[in-house]
Amino acid sequence: MEAGLRVEIPGIGIVHLGLGAFFRAHGAVYIANAMAHSGGDWGVIGVSLQSATMRDALAPQGFAYHAVEQGPQGETIRRIDVVQDILVARENPEAVLAAMALPTVGIVSLTVTEKGYCHNPATGALNPDHPDILHDLTHPQPRSAPGYLVRALQRRKEAGLPPFTVLCCDNLPENGRVVRGVVLDLARRIDPALADWIATEGRFPATMVDRIVPATKPEDIARLKAQGIDDNLPVMHEPFSQWVVEDDFVQGQRPDLGAVGVQLVRDVTPFELMKLRMLNGTHSSLAYLGYLAGYETIADTVADPIFAAFVQKLWRDEIIPAITPPPSVDLTAYAAQLLDRYSNPAIRHRTWQIAMDGSQKLPQRILGTLATNLAAGRDSQGLMLAVAGWMRYVGGTDEKGQPIEVKDPLAADLAARAVRGVRALLDLRAVFPADLAQALEPGLTAAHGRLAARGARKAVEDLL
Ligand code: CS2
């Protein structure tokens, strides 16, 4: 067996691809709770696809870490020890595939961010021209998350093992269906019989995940140290947490999630739409416009009464009317709770962090609502202004003339298009379908002009 994989450790039931702060503060906590409550061998092997940072930080502490709940009234600290090992895929792809092919592994969960699925954000389909996908088609040692899923499932099929359940925990609409589509498409290009086997035997439950987890800052580590807790990489999170999971696992095998507050449902779609459009949609709106207005965090942004009124207007007039609530959920109460969560001063969630990867986020967060509203003849001035804010942001210069560090897989293309203006950005088919682009153009051109002339804060105020 390859170095880096401790196969002898009993109790490995889950391999998690893309082990970052979010999963450590969300899924891992539920799994720890489920094992404490009902037992089960659901230890986790975490995988970092690229960087060795997480492994190097957590290995000296046996992969355990502290999850710090930050409420307005103070912190509660808890040690989480479900992670048994961390592998770095770029260093040792073989170890990762071997872990995913372990007979005890029943679930491969993922938080690889929107761009990690190598799909077209506007359509949800695999992008067959993605360089990592082109690589993975011809190399048994993959680079992409879909490549790892397909090659590991291939090994399991060859070994006569059942497939694992693929549990997508990223903020994508119908995330189970998207990852299933991407995996089947890639598998079919490699071996049609493999694709057929995955299609019949595999399971890809959809999930809605929610917890606000800002990136850990050096001062967080120092604050814990001052309290006698030595942790190279703790995670900070808000008190709120929600996980809605479609109860469809291979051979019914999963931790006892229902016992620890996970909502196991037949149809996650209404929960996903609510969360992506009400939370993530306004998060992105506040991130672009708040950043341009000079605010560092979401809490700082909504502490400005103009932005607080703006986000409430988005919910009331533009987003809530465009969605069907999940069973027995009151969307107005949900919106009020979101504003409380955003206002939590202990959570320093940077607008810059949320602004990242906008090309991958806009379709499911904002553009779907805009399309619904256009079809219904409903006004969407606020969300238009948010998209115009993104267009200004990816131009790479803030309102004081300072450079913005734009992080996005399409950053160079976006910057070039931003120079040419609104139309050039709307022509980006990976983000805007042709008919939507056409319908949005007049409104977006006007909003973009107002942002340039008035600045973000005044342009927001003008709308109220
Ligand atoms: C945020 C999300 O960074 C972002 O884009 O909108 O990470 C958000 O905090 C989570 O989805 C909350 O569940």
Side-chain angles (χ1 to χ4, degrees):
M1 200 42 64
E2 299 287 325
L5 175 63
R6 303 200 222 128
V7 276
E8 307 81 11
I9 287 192
I12 297 298
I14 298 176
V15 173
H16 184 81
L17 302 186
L19 188 77
F22 180 76
F23 183 77
R24 294 198 296 137
H26 183 267
V29 175
Y30 282 104
I31 292 162
N33 289 346
M35 282 200 285
H37 184 278
S38 315
D41 282 330
W42 295 105
V44 176
I45 292 183
V47 176
S48 298
L49 288 173
Q50 299 294 332
S51 133
T53 311
M54 186 73 70
R55 193 256 331 263
D56 293 349
L58 296 190
Q61 51 198 62
F63 306 104
Y65 58 87
H66 295 82
V68 182
E69 178 174 308
Q70 302 188 294
Q73 260 76 53
E75 295 187 337
T76 317
I77 303 174
R78 174 162 173 211
R79 187 170 184 273
I80 305 292
D81 57 7
V82 288
V83 179
Q84 305 297 321
D85 200 353
I86 298 180
L87 306 173
V88 180
R90 209 173 42 158
E91 284 176 7
N92 195 347
E94 180 54 37
V96 176
L97 290 171
M100 295 168 80
L102 284 174
T104 57
V105 166
I107 296 174
V108 172
S109 49
L110 298 93
T111 46
V112 294
T113 79
E114 294 86 348
K115 60 182 177 291
Y117 295 88
C118 307
H119 70 306
N120 178 320
T123 65
L126 180 75
N127 171 8
D129 301 322
H130 192 292
D132 290 348
I133 295 298
L134 289 173
H135 171 275
D136 292 358
L137 277 171
T138 48
H139 296 74
Q141 296 202 329
R143 279 187 192 150
S144 71
Y148 273 100
L149 293 171
V150 170
R151 294 294 180 179
L153 286 165
Q154 186 173 37
R155 287 190 183 203
R156 296 183 76 96
K157 178 172 179 278
E158 282 162 9
L161 291 168
F164 41 71
T165 297
V166 177
L167 190 64
C168 176
C169 301
D170 277 298
N171 286 311
L172 296 167
E174 299 186 76
N175 58 9
R177 191 185 53 78
V178 168
V179 66
R180 182 175 189 272
V182 162
V183 164
L184 288 182
D185 189 341
L186 180 58
R188 199 158 298 285
R189 291 164 197 261
I190 292 173
D191 171 8
L194 173 64
D196 290 342
W197 179 76
I198 299 172
T200 355
E201 305 294 324
R203 292 293 179 271
F204 299 81
T207 69
M208 178 270 247
V209 293
D210 189 10
R211 174 165 259 182
I212 293 175
V213 183
T216 303
K217 301 168 186 64
E219 54 266 34
D220 298 320
I221 299 172
R223 198 174 58 249
L224 256 57
K225 202 178 174 69
Q227 295 171 51
I229 298 173
D230 244 315
D231 189 327
N232 295 326
L233 207 46
V235 281
M236 306 294 125
H237 62 78
E238 64 171 338
F240 182 90
S241 182
Q242 188 175 13
W243 200 3
V244 188
V245 178
E246 193 184 344
D247 199 4
D248 183 22
F249 288 72
V250 175
Q251 297 175 354
Q253 292 295 306
R254 57 164 171 76
D256 190 5
L257 299 172
V260 294
V262 175
Q263 293 160 267
L264 295 157
V265 302
R266 280 181 57 121
D267 185 11
V268 176
T269 318
F271 293 94
E272 273 179 335
L273 273 185
M274 170 183 80
K275 194 265 173 170
L276 284 170
R277 292 182 174 192
M278 289 187 64
L279 191 159
N280 299 107
T282 56
H283 239 187
S284 290
S285 302
L286 293 170
Y288 297 117
L289 295 168
Y291 184 98
L292 292 171
Y295 291 121
E296 196 192 337
T297 67
I298 291 292
D300 292 346
T301 309
V302 296
D304 178 339
I306 288 183
F307 276 93
F310 173 68
V311 70
Q312 288 171 292
K313 176 182 162 55
L314 289 182
W315 285 316
R316 186 187 59 232
D317 299 340
E318 303 185 18
I319 305 178
I320 291 180
I323 51 183
T324 310
S328 62
V329 174
D330 173 350
L331 295 180
T332 305
Y334 182 74
Q337 186 187 34
L338 288 178
L339 187 55
D340 275 351
R341 293 169 61 192
Y342 292 180
S343 308
N344 178 351
I347 294 286
R348 308 282 305 155
H349 201 186
R350 295 177 67 193
T351 47
W352 177 83
Q353 189 189 347
I354 298 164
M356 221 178 269
D357 292 346
S359 69
Q360 315 292 303
K361 293 174 172 173
L362 285 193
Q364 61 273 19
R365 294 182 176 208
I366 298 181
L367 302 183
T369 312
L370 282 176
T372 308
N373 287 349
L374 278 168
R378 197 179 302 116
D379 180 77
S380 308
Q381 294 270 332
L383 290 174
M384 289 278 206
L385 193 67
V387 177
W390 169 75
M391 291 179 160
R392 296 270 299 164
Y393 183 92
V394 297
T397 309
D398 74 12
E399 292 180 356
K400 296 202 179 90
Q402 296 302 310
I404 303 174
E405 191 192 351
V406 178
K407 293 260 196 199
D408 193 294
L410 305 181
D413 189 11
L414 294 173
R417 286 172 190 266
V419 175
R420 284 156 46 216
V422 170
R423 161 70 75 71
L425 283 162
L426 282 172
D427 280 343
L428 191 62
R429 284 294 157 267
V431 178
F432 300 96
D435 49 346
L436 183 65
Q438 204 186 1
L440 291 177
E441 191 175 343
L444 273 180
T445 307
H448 194 264
R450 286 201 308 277
L451 268 183
R454 300 277 288 157
R457 189 170 184 278
K458 282 261 182 296
V460 167
E461 190 173 12
D462 292 345
L463 278 189
L464 301 173

